[in-house]
């Protein structure tokens, strides 16, 4: 039976260890550089989230513009808009089904 330590990667005691150089993303960075990178990533993430919300709000405004509401000056909330659109589409499809 072969030795179990041979394939396990274990080194005999006292054997010299080779030091491997770190490459790629594992470089040692200063604390100031890490802080700058984290801040930069957070700013970019905030920009992406802000743009996502602007697009979502624009889409909801467009949806509100095609839904019949009474009175006209009432602005529906986001969840009310989605629920109303769902019910409106259901009612239209029922009307078509019955006609």
């Amino acid at each position: 039976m072969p030795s179990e330590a041979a394939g396990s990667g274990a080194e005999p005691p006292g054997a010299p260890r080779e030091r491997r150089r770190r490459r790629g993303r594992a470089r040692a960075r200063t604390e100031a550089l890490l802080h700058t990178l984290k801040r930069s990533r957070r700013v970019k993430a905030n920009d992406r989230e802000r743009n996502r919300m602007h697009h979502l709000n624009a889409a909801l405004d467009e949806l509100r513009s095609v839904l019949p509401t009474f009175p006209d000056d009432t602005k529906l909330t986001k969840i009310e808009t989605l629920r109303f659109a769902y019910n409106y589409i259901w009612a239209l499809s029922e009307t078509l089904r019955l006609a």
Side-chain angles (χ1 to χ4, degrees):
M1 185 171 184
S3 172
E4 292 179 21
S8 67
E11 296 178 9
R17 290 185 174 183
E18 291 183 29
R19 291 192 179 219
R20 296 181 183 182
R21 295 179 78 184
R22 292 183 178 194
R23 295 184 183 179
R25 297 184 75 167
R27 287 179 284 178
R29 296 184 173 146
T30 65
E31 197 169 318
L33 180 60
L34 285 175
H35 180 70
T36 303
L37 286 172
K38 285 181 182 180
R39 183 167 174 77
S40 173
R41 288 178 185 153
R42 176 55 26 212
V43 167
K44 288 178 183 178
N46 288 347
D47 286 342
R48 284 193 304 272
E49 178 65 11
R50 191 177 305 108
N51 285 332
R52 187 186 73 81
M53 288 306 299
H54 281 308
H55 290 333
L56 178 63
N57 288 332
L60 285 167
D61 286 338
E62 193 172 333
L63 180 58
R64 282 185 196 104
S65 71
V66 298
L67 293 175
T69 57
F70 304 100
D72 290 332
D73 60 349
T74 303
K75 181 179 177 184
L76 300 172
T77 65
K78 292 175 185 178
I79 191 69
E80 288 171 343
T81 301
L82 293 173
R83 286 181 179 150
F84 188 80
Y86 176 85
N87 291 332
Y88 185 58
I89 292 168
W90 177 83
L92 291 174
S93 62
E94 282 297 304
T95 302
L96 286 174
R97 188 180 66 80
L98 294 174

